[in-house]
Amino acid sequence: MTLQRRLQLVGCNTEEQWMTTALRVAFATSDLKHVDQHFGAAQSFAIYAVDQEKVCFVEANEFGQLAMDGNEDKLAVKIAALDGCIAVYSQAVGASAIQQLKAQGIQPVKVSPGSEIQGLLENLQEELRQGPSSWLAKAIASTMPADPSRFDQMENEGWEE
């Protein structure tokens, strides 16, 4: 299985500063409007950049018609297509895929069949404004560069045995 088509939009990419701080999330979809696919058999992923105030469609990756056949070879291509995403929303995802996604720092999120992508993006923005859940806070932290002075601060606090 290979990636058949990839559409990238350049509208958001012109705002490089925003794109470096926005979070990328993916949705398993067949119509680019609803989450209506199982991760392993997803025909395509819609990828968005999102922060508290703005959402931008970034790209769509199309794989074509796939069966839920337990063939794990297709997972590597799909996970590679999600590079840079902090999460992927789908109707369902298998245990092996969950393990592989998490190893790449991508949180699988199961949603109700037919959930509207726009509504999920609005919910994600609201969560960012109100204070992220534990998985989202961890994902945000993983996108930030490590503070090189963090060990200096620990040393200044002293050490007691």
Side-chain angles (χ1 to χ4, degrees):
M1 192 226 17
T2 61
L3 181 65
Q4 290 183 348
R5 265 192 286 200
R6 183 176 183 192
L7 166 72
Q8 287 186 294
L9 299 182
V10 295
C12 291
N13 295 335
T14 60
E15 303 175 39
E16 287 187 34
Q17 180 60 32
W18 181 76
M19 283 299 290
T20 60
T21 59
L23 302 173
R24 290 172 51 105
V25 293
F27 301 89
T29 181
S30 64
D31 64 4
L32 302 178
K33 294 180 182 180
H34 300 91
V35 176
D36 58 1
Q37 301 280 292
H38 182 285
F39 176 80
Q43 295 173 1
S44 61
F45 293 114
I47 300 176
Y48 287 80
V50 61
D51 70 7
Q52 293 180 4
E53 304 303 322
K54 185 176 178 181
V55 171
C56 188
F57 178 74
V58 177
E59 70 183 70
N61 294 309
E62 188 174 293
F63 302 95
Q65 194 81 355
L66 297 172
M68 289 187 285
D69 56 6
N71 178 0
E72 299 216 2
D73 293 339
K74 62 187 171 194
L75 295 180
V77 173
K78 290 186 176 196
I79 292 170
L82 301 178
D83 185 44
C85 291
I86 62 157
V88 60
Y89 291 71
S90 64
Q91 283 186 4
V93 60
S96 176
I98 289 171
Q99 201 172 38
Q100 292 178 55
L101 285 163
K102 287 191 166 211
Q104 294 301 313
I106 303 169
Q107 176 68 39
V109 180
K110 182 180 173 185
V111 297
S112 300
S115 295
E116 290 187 3
I117 292 172
Q118 186 62 40
L120 294 168
L121 287 165
E122 289 169 3
N123 290 344
L124 183 58
Q125 283 185 296
E126 185 60 29
E127 186 176 348
L128 287 169
R129 286 189 285 270
Q130 299 297 321
S133 61
S134 61
W135 78 264
L136 187 53
K138 184 177 177 183
I140 292 168
S142 73
T143 65
M144 302 296 175
D147 179 8
S149 67
R150 68 190 184 281
F151 295 117
D152 296 335
Q153 293 169 345
M154 291 170 63
E155 184 178 19
N156 291 339
E157 291 173 3
W159 180 268
E160 290 183 29
E161 288 190 41

